[in-house]
Amino acid sequence: MLIINSILEMKALVKDIRQKGKTVGFVPTMGYLHEGHLTLMREAKKKTEFVVTSIFVNPLQFGVGEDYEEYPRDITRDSCMAREVGVDAVFAPTIREMYPNGYATFVEVEKLTDKLCGKSRPGHFRGVTTVVAKLFNIVQPDIAFFGQKDAQQAAVLQQMAADLNMNLAIEVVPTVREVDGLAMSSRNTYLSREERKAALVLSESLKAAGKLFASGERSPGVLKDKITGMINREPLARIDYVEVCTLPGLEETERLEGQNLIALAVFIGSIRLIDNLIVEG
Amino acid sequence: MLIINSILEMKALVKDIRQKGKTVGFVPTMGYLHEGHLTLMREAKKKTEFVVTSIFVNPLQFGVGEDYEEYPRDITRDSCMAREVGVDAVFAPTIREMYPNGYATFVEVEKLTDKLCGKSRPGHFRGVTTVVAKLFNIVQPDIAFFGQKDAQQAAVLQQMAADLNMNLAIEVVPTVREVDGLAMSSRNTYLSREERKAALVLSESLKAAGKLFASGERSPGVLKDKITGMINREPLARIDYVEVCTLPGLEETERLEGQNLIALAVFIGSIRLIDNLIVEG
């Protein structure tokens, strides 16, 4: 497996691979890999012939007071894990390489980014779309893989790729969970033992809402109340948002028809976690 | 010569051309072609093996009260002229094809776009960078060609391409002028006979400033005063801006060293024209 730090080298490698007629799969990450990332990489291995993963903690998508500095980093561990699932190249650029002095260009998706996490984290998605647009130009994949856990991110990136006529497909892969249901996240490593237990309220309240939906409930308000009630009973949890909306438009809805997203962000202690459930009916 | 209206068809054509190992040159235009555009196309013919030109009057780069509706259009005339200089394909998409319902993604270059034309035309460069990013993804050129007449546009697009790691080169081609010195522009067709004469003050004041520079003058203020004085003596002319700045940074400067740009925008009657001169010393 190759480890590449330079943009020019990455471009040269991909050019060579494409000239050999191979398809390229791409899994962008911020590192500190977990089973969720590895599932994306395995999916990429299945569907493409050369798999690149990037490891880059993107300062542009962190707000003031967020955890950019503390975000866990371990490139040795990450490279080892990527190699084991058959990744062909890890792209790990420096910040200076990605954002040289005088850097001034930003990609912005409107509307979709005003809601859910976009409301609580202003500028976050602008950072995501900008870095992903750059990475797409560097790696030039046929298919890029993203996790359903970041449902809004996936919707925003699909809108960006379609609007800017990018030459790739975006695949969204179901959320991978711990045995007890907690959605995998690099931020789970921040949780104390007590918080780890409390964090279960995210997946469990979603599961309860899913059961209500399965039993015929179609009112977004009733589902939201169910979730809010459960989370409010957990002393370590504080709701950032609980939303029920259409997918991929992320619009409010009066009654659940077609594909909808139940999404939530909850602080467990000081750690902000997200999870979601797609319901279809 | 092919005339293509659909994005998918354009992408399929370019894919085919690239698979044949040919290089692609690209000249984006808003149509109503003149010798300036044709010079870009001839340059593209020299440097690449398959030349695409796009004709698209981009609503996103026109401000409220600007001349989007009146902008001259004549696709039959344009196609004929493009064919004559050996263009291989004209890409002429509809507005709905480029900006479908729900369109929401924008590319923005900061700093460079606050100055010169960016100051007088807020949102203009955001429209330019967005449409050009889209066109680059559709046409996937090896080299894209732009005119020096739009000096700030060229600087902004070079910054965008570098910042977003786009896989192409941008070439800037010297301004083409009428025999008497007026810079070629589709907007020249708006000028009455009297205004056409008055419009000469743009190129002539730049020429006078260039002479001062050649004779050793290095004060931006002195050059600006020379130009401003000449334009103010022309009754049909009204200055939008006259600026002397560094290139490509477009920063103000106390003393002319290295490469600098003398740029101006002047209303002749109600028609806004631009021109510029690069000085190097």
Side-chain angles (χ1 to χ4, degrees):
Chain A
M1 189 187 70
L2 296 159
I3 300 182
I4 295 168
N5 304 112
S6 126
I7 292 172
L8 278 180
E9 263 178 66
M10 189 66 234
K11 285 193 175 196
L13 171 64
V14 166
K15 195 174 174 187
D16 182 52
I17 296 298
R18 299 194 73 95
Q19 272 171 353
K20 287 179 180 146
K22 285 190 186 175
T23 55
V24 176
F26 181 40
V27 181
T29 82
M30 296 210 302
Y32 218 73
L33 303 181
H34 52 64
E35 199 52 36
H37 300 112
L38 301 181
T39 301
L40 296 177
M41 293 168 195
R42 285 191 205 100
E43 200 60 24
K45 280 303 279 184
K46 265 190 244 164
K47 301 217 166 139
T48 59
E49 294 158 311
F50 190 90
V51 173
V52 179
T53 192
S54 63
I55 296 178
F56 180 64
V57 185
N58 174 34
L60 224 57
Q61 71 191 70
F62 288 80
V64 176
E66 287 187 357
D67 56 346
Y68 172 65
E69 298 296 339
E70 303 87 58
Y71 200 85
R73 293 160 170 90
D74 190 341
I75 182 85
T76 315
R77 169 185 172 283
D78 289 344
S79 308
C80 179
M81 291 168 79
R83 183 181 295 113
E84 261 176 35
V85 293
V87 164
D88 298 286
V90 167
F91 177 54
T94 62
I95 291 186
R96 268 289 144 264
E97 179 90 351
M98 290 293 276
Y99 302 117
N101 278 332
Y103 186 90
T105 305
F106 301 90
V107 178
E108 195 152 12
V109 173
E110 295 185 346
K111 291 178 223 163
L112 281 184
T113 56
D114 297 339
K115 303 154 205 233
L116 309 181
C117 290
K119 232 192 248 171
S120 339
R121 306 183 69 188
H124 168 68
F125 285 113
R126 186 182 194 237
V128 171
T129 44
T130 299
V131 80
V132 171
K134 285 170 63 67
L135 290 168
F136 282 177
N137 282 332
I138 295 166
V139 176
Q140 299 162 68
D142 295 280
I143 314 179
F145 298 81
F146 294 89
Q148 183 59 51
K149 202 205 79 182
D150 301 297
Q152 185 176 15
Q153 172 177 277
V156 167
L157 292 174
Q158 282 173 319
Q159 171 102 40
M160 172 185 80
D163 280 353
L164 294 185
N165 311 104
M166 292 175 167
N167 298 289
L168 52 88
I170 288 181
E171 278 209 17
V172 184
V173 177
T175 303
V176 179
R177 298 177 179 282
E178 306 283 356
V179 201
D180 60 5
L182 179 67
M184 299 261 180
S185 165
S186 307
R187 289 191 172 98
N188 292 349
T189 57
Y190 295 144
L191 298 168
S192 70
R193 184 185 300 227
E194 211 184 349
E195 289 168 337
R196 172 67 184 76
K197 239 167 143 176
L200 273 185
V201 76
L202 281 86
S203 55
E204 284 180 353
S205 62
L206 284 170
K207 218 199 282 179
K211 263 192 196 155
L212 274 180
F213 182 87
S215 74
E217 183 56 60
R218 290 296 179 269
S219 153
V222 172
L223 300 187
K224 253 159 94 164
D225 287 348
K226 176 77 192 167
I227 294 169
T228 309
M230 283 179 71
I231 298 175
N232 284 341
R233 279 194 294 279
E234 170 51 60
L236 290 178
R238 180 169 58 83
I239 292 175
D240 179 21
Y241 68 77
V242 176
E243 297 283 358
V244 179
C245 56
T246 61
L247 197 68
L250 309 184
E251 307 272 9
E252 275 189 43
T253 175
E254 296 277 292
R255 203 185 139 72
L256 298 173
E257 278 164 359
Q259 203 181 49
N260 287 277
L261 179 75
I262 311 175
L264 45 79
V266 177
F267 284 95
I268 302 293
S270 63
I271 315 305
R272 186 176 174 280
L273 299 177
I274 60 173
D275 200 351
N276 66 74
L277 176 71
I278 295 176
V279 291
E280 202 150 4
Chain B
M1 188 187 71
L2 296 159
I3 299 182
I4 294 167
N5 303 113
S6 126
I7 291 172
L8 278 181
E9 264 179 64
M10 190 66 234
K11 284 193 174 194
L13 171 65
V14 165
K15 194 175 175 188
D16 182 53
I17 295 298
R18 299 194 72 96
Q19 271 170 354
K20 287 179 180 146
K22 285 190 186 175
T23 54
V24 176
F26 180 41
V27 181
T29 82
M30 297 210 301
Y32 218 73
L33 303 180
H34 52 63
E35 198 53 36
H37 299 114
L38 301 181
T39 301
L40 297 177
M41 293 169 195
R42 285 190 205 100
E43 199 60 25
K45 280 302 280 182
K46 266 189 244 164
K47 302 217 166 140
T48 59
E49 294 157 312
F50 190 90
V51 174
V52 179
T53 192
S54 63
I55 295 178
F56 180 64
V57 185
N58 175 34
L60 224 58
Q61 71 191 69
F62 288 81
V64 176
E66 286 187 359
D67 56 345
Y68 172 66
E69 299 295 339
E70 303 87 58
Y71 200 86
R73 293 160 169 91
D74 190 341
I75 182 85
T76 315
R77 170 185 172 281
D78 289 343
S79 307
C80 179
M81 291 168 78
R83 183 183 294 112
E84 261 176 34
V85 293
V87 164
D88 298 286
V90 167
F91 177 54
T94 62
I95 291 187
R96 267 289 144 263
E97 178 90 351
M98 289 293 276
Y99 302 116
N101 278 332
Y103 186 90
T105 305
F106 302 90
V107 178
E108 196 151 12
V109 173
E110 296 185 346
K111 291 176 225 165
L112 281 184
T113 56
D114 298 340
K115 303 154 203 231
L116 309 181
C117 290
K119 230 192 250 172
S120 340
R121 305 183 69 189
H124 168 67
F125 286 113
R126 186 181 194 238
V128 171
T129 44
T130 300
V131 80
V132 170
K134 284 170 64 67
L135 290 168
F136 282 177
N137 282 331
I138 295 166
V139 177
Q140 300 162 66
D142 296 280
I143 315 179
F145 298 80
F146 294 89
Q148 183 59 52
K149 202 205 79 180
D150 301 296
Q152 185 176 15
Q153 172 177 278
V156 167
L157 292 175
Q158 281 173 319
Q159 171 102 40
M160 172 185 80
D163 280 354
L164 294 185
N165 311 104
M166 292 175 168
N167 298 289
L168 53 87
I170 288 181
E171 279 208 18
V172 184
V173 177
T175 303
V176 180
R177 298 177 180 281
E178 306 283 356
V179 201
D180 61 4
L182 180 67
M184 298 260 181
S185 164
S186 305
R187 289 191 172 98
N188 292 349
T189 57
Y190 296 143
L191 298 169
S192 70
R193 184 187 300 228
E194 211 184 350
E195 288 168 340
R196 172 67 183 75
K197 238 166 140 178
L200 273 185
V201 76
L202 280 86
S203 55
E204 285 181 352
S205 62
L206 284 169
K207 217 199 283 180
K211 263 192 195 155
L212 274 180
F213 182 87
S215 73
E217 182 56 60
R218 289 297 179 269
S219 153
V222 172
L223 300 187
K224 254 159 94 165
D225 288 347
K226 177 76 191 169
I227 294 169
T228 309
M230 283 178 72
I231 298 175
N232 285 341
R233 279 193 295 280
E234 170 50 61
L236 290 178
R238 181 170 57 83
I239 292 176
D240 179 20
Y241 67 78
V242 175
E243 297 284 357
V244 179
C245 56
T246 62
L247 198 68
L250 309 183
E251 308 272 9
E252 275 190 43
T253 174
E254 296 277 292
R255 204 185 137 71
L256 298 174
E257 279 165 359
Q259 203 180 48
N260 288 277
L261 179 75
I262 311 176
L264 44 80
V266 177
F267 285 94
I268 302 293
S270 63
I271 315 306
R272 186 176 175 280
L273 300 176
I274 60 173
D275 199 351
N276 65 74
L277 176 71
I278 295 176
V279 291
E280 202 150 6

